[in-house]
Structures are given as structure tokens and as C-alpha cells.
Amino acid sequence: MATTVNHPHPNLPPSRGKGTQAHFDVLPGAKPRILTGIRPTGALHLGHYVGALKNWLDLQDTYECYFLIADYQALGDHFDDIELIRESVLDVTLDWLAVGLDPEKSAFVVQSYVPEHAELTMLLSFVTPLGMLERNPTLKSEIDSLPVESRTVGFYNYPMSQVADILLPRAHLVPVGEDQAPHIEMTREVARKFNRMFGRVFPEPGTLIGDVGRLVGTDGDAKMSKSKGNTIMLSDDADTVNQKVRGMFTDPNRIRADIPGRVEGNPVFEYHDAFNPDVGQVDEFKDRYRKGKVGDVEVKRALASALNEFLEPMRERRERYKADMPYVEEVLMDGVRRGRTIAEETMTRVRDAMRISSYTSSWS
Ligand code: ATP
Ligand code: MG
């Protein structure tokens, strides 16, 4: 498995590489829990595959996974477009099924169907010093880039709600890209403080730093992002993929096919490396490209065909699931049931530990 872990639990593969040390106990034979998720603000693209889904597929057998469709969190910047969130809950579910996430193994949880997320966010906000949010550099730059009317308390508090998302299922591990490690550090600090004040309820989760990459956009931008319009969607049909690949940014200095071109930093080759399983073909293209012996058209045609081959089984599965909405609904309801079960268990422990919501029982 490409993922590296670093924690002491015997049920897990030996530790390799980076990751924060987690403190938790798991019953012998039980699988450690993982919480990760995505905000439903659109269908998913190849960047999501490279940066998240590919890694999640590997985790499903080793861990008890909760995959969260974080619709509360999507409200942060889409409060005025709830229709988009509604559509995206379905799109994300279909994309997850299409890439092969298995709802028998893992729970697909819609956040707002488990309102304990909101309750825990609120309760944890009382043990969390304001400075933790004020010092968060990511949050600060995100807030600064929002128009004044969109700078809501809810948005400001989203790191807190992420902390609650992780602690609600009492997750042991959170898979993250290296840049998100500080969010997990905040989770650990909040968990530690709560446990110290009220008794041990939460494991201190560790990070699973996976072998995740960042996929560049079709326009050569450092990141494929739906708001930048430089995506190839997992659900794009073959014609759309062909057209997008034809229009891809390559080496801007190469004005003719017979002059040497740059392979490094060239998105067409980055995609070949990520999605074309024919390594021999890719190496040959690189060699010829560097020597000015192959045109962009040929390299792009081969890329489009590799991408279509990669996406075709997903498209087929997506169509199949789309034609069976009762099944898709059952997947979500089952995931929500599993999410709720553990959430209710946690909240009972939290309320007991804090000695709230139980006043009348001590009166008689
Ligand atoms: P937006 O443009 O609205 O920010 P987005 O397309 O960047 O949307 P997000 O919802 O921000 O998508 O992405 C969710 C997660 O998916 C990210 O935190 C990251 O882990 C992963 N991800 C998204 N885009 C990429 C990418 N191009 N490369 C690698 N990972 C990505
Ligand atoms: Mg983004």
C-alpha cells in the first residue's frame, strides 16, 4: 500500500515515513476508524481522484472508513446556492460509487443527516481558544479573499466543524495531504483539552500521509480546480475529454513540432504519467518530444485515449447507478445509519462526561 503510517497499533502495517503519532486503543481484531470527506460543491474531477479517491480506495480493506459528504461545511461559501449543494450530494455519491468506493465496506455519510455534527461543533467551540482560529494561516487567507458580505461566523468556524467531524466518529486516523496536517494538529489539541477537562472520550487522531499528489489544471495552472474551469470531470464523456485534451496547455515555447520541447512541468506529460499505464509509450513520447520528433497532436491523441480508457469503466458504473436511484438512496441511508449510530454513542459519552442534558435525573 502506498500509504505511510506512524503509530503504535498492532492491527496496522508497520510504520513507514511521516505521520503524527496517534494515541488510541482499538479492541483486538477491530479495525481503526478513518474519517475523511469532501464538500458537495460540484461533481468530482481527476484532481480529486489523484489527491483523495485513489488513496481512499486503498484504505477500505484495512480500516473502518467513514466518508463524509460535508454539506454543512459547503454552506460556508455556498449559503446562497443550496440548489448546487443538493445536486452535488447526488453527484458526489455517484462519483464515489463510480470510482469503486464500496458502500458495503465503508459508510457514505451525509453530514446534515447526522445533526450531532452541529451539536459537537458547538460544544467543542467552548473548549477551543479563539487564538487557534486566529492563528490559522489558511483560514486567514481564505477569509481575506471572500467578499465582505460572505465573511460569516459559520465560515470562520469551519476548522472547528472539521474538528468535530473527525472527533464525532472518534476517528483514529485522518488521511490528509501534507498541507492539511495543521488542521489535524488542532483536532488533537482540542481532543486533548476536552479529555483533560472532562475525562477521556476522544482518541487523539493521527495523520495518514498518503502517496497523494496534486494534479495540475488543463490550462497549466498549479491545481486542477472546478472554480478555475480547468478540469476533466470523472463523468465527462469521451468527446468532451478529447476536446479538453486537444485544448490543453503544453510547452508554450514550442511553436513547431520539429523543435525540442520541455517535458518537465508540461501538463500533458504529467497526465500521461498519472493515467497512461503504458509506460513504454510514455517514455518514448518523452524522448521524441525532447528531440523535436513528435507533434503535440500525436501526444495528445494518445493521452485522450488513455484517459478515456481509464474513465470508461467509471462512466459505465456511474450510468448503471444513476439508473437505479432506489439503490443509491439505500447506500446513503445505510451510511447515515452507521454514521448516526457512532455519533449517538459519542454524544452520549460527551454529555455524560460534561454532565449536561441530565439535570432532572438528579432531582428526585
Ligand atoms: P474549488 O475550486 O471550489 O476549491 P476544487 O475543485 O478545488 O473546488 P475542493 O472541494 O476544494 O475541489 O477539493 C477537495 C479536496 O480534493 C482537496 O482538499 C484535495 O484534497 C482534493 N483535490 C482537489 N483538487 C485537487 C487537485 N487538483 N489535485 C490534488 N488533489 C485535489
Ligand atoms: Mg479547492
Side-chain angles (χ1 to χ4, degrees), residues 260-280:
R262 266 182 72 85
V263 163
E264 289 70 29
N266 186 328
V268 173
F269 284 100
E270 289 198 25
Y271 287 19
H272 264 299
D273 282 335
F275 298 105
N276 188 347
D278 186 348
V279 180

Side-chain angles (χ1 to χ4, degrees), residues 185-311:
E185 202 41 53
M186 173 166 166
T187 310
R188 293 155 56 77
E189 277 180 49
V190 172
R192 217 165 15 234
K193 184 154 177 213
F194 183 97
N195 289 344
R196 206 168 49 232
M197 287 180 73
F198 299 111
R200 218 179 119 71
V201 172
F202 299 114
E204 274 176 46
T207 49
L208 260 177
I209 311 254
D211 180 19
V212 294
R214 169 180 286 203
L215 193 68
V216 297
T218 53
D219 58 354
D221 188 283
K223 194 169 167 249
M224 179 179 281
S225 223
K226 55 192 170 276
S227 54
K228 292 185 190 135
N230 59 7
T231 58
I232 292 176
M233 310 303 289
L234 299 179
S235 48
D236 276 344
D237 61 28
D239 284 346
T240 309
V241 170
N242 293 338
Q243 194 193 328
K244 286 182 175 176
V245 171
R246 261 201 307 277
M248 268 181 80
F249 179 90
T250 54
D251 178 351
N253 296 318
R254 193 169 184 246
I255 39 175
R256 287 196 327 263
D258 60 353
I259 58 173
R262 266 182 72 85
V263 163
E264 289 70 29
N266 186 328
V268 173
F269 284 100
E270 289 198 25
Y271 287 19
H272 264 299
D273 282 335
F275 298 105
N276 188 347
D278 186 348
V279 180
Q281 184 192 49
V282 177
D283 284 346
E284 193 210 315
F285 275 145
K286 285 181 181 171
D287 188 49
R288 287 166 60 203
Y289 200 83
R290 287 193 183 103
K291 293 179 176 150
K293 291 203 164 130
V294 65
D296 279 1
V297 175
E298 190 182 341
V299 182
K300 284 181 170 179
R301 202 173 284 144
L303 173 62
S305 121
L307 284 176
N308 280 323
E309 223 160 281
F310 172 75
L311 291 172

Side-chain angles (χ1 to χ4, degrees), residues 69 89-90 93-94 97 103 108-110 113 321-337:
I69 302 182
V89 169
L90 177 59
T93 309
L94 289 172
L97 289 168
F108 294 10
V109 185
V110 182
Y113 282 45
Y321 289 120
K322 207 171 168 178
D324 190 0
M325 276 305 139
Y327 173 75
V328 175
E329 203 179 318
E330 180 47 35
V331 163
L332 287 186
M333 288 309 106
D334 179 58
V336 163
R337 261 194 300 277

Side-chain angles (χ1 to χ4, degrees), residues 32-90:
R33 280 185 297 275
I34 281 198
L35 180 286
T36 186
I38 219 152
R39 300 178 322 138
T41 55
L44 304 182
H45 50 67
L46 290 176
H48 293 117
Y49 182 82
V50 169
L53 304 174
K54 182 167 169 252
N55 194 28
W56 299 3
L57 287 167
D58 286 340
L59 302 174
Q60 295 191 102
D61 291 311
T62 318
Y63 301 97
E64 181 183 333
C65 295
Y66 291 80
F67 297 130
L68 188 68
I69 302 182
D71 58 338
Y72 278 157
Q73 227 189 93
L75 292 171
D77 51 1
H78 288 81
F79 197 76
D80 53 357
D81 197 358
I82 288 174
E83 208 40 53
L84 175 79
I85 297 178
R86 293 179 60 89
E87 283 165 20
S88 305
V89 169
L90 177 59

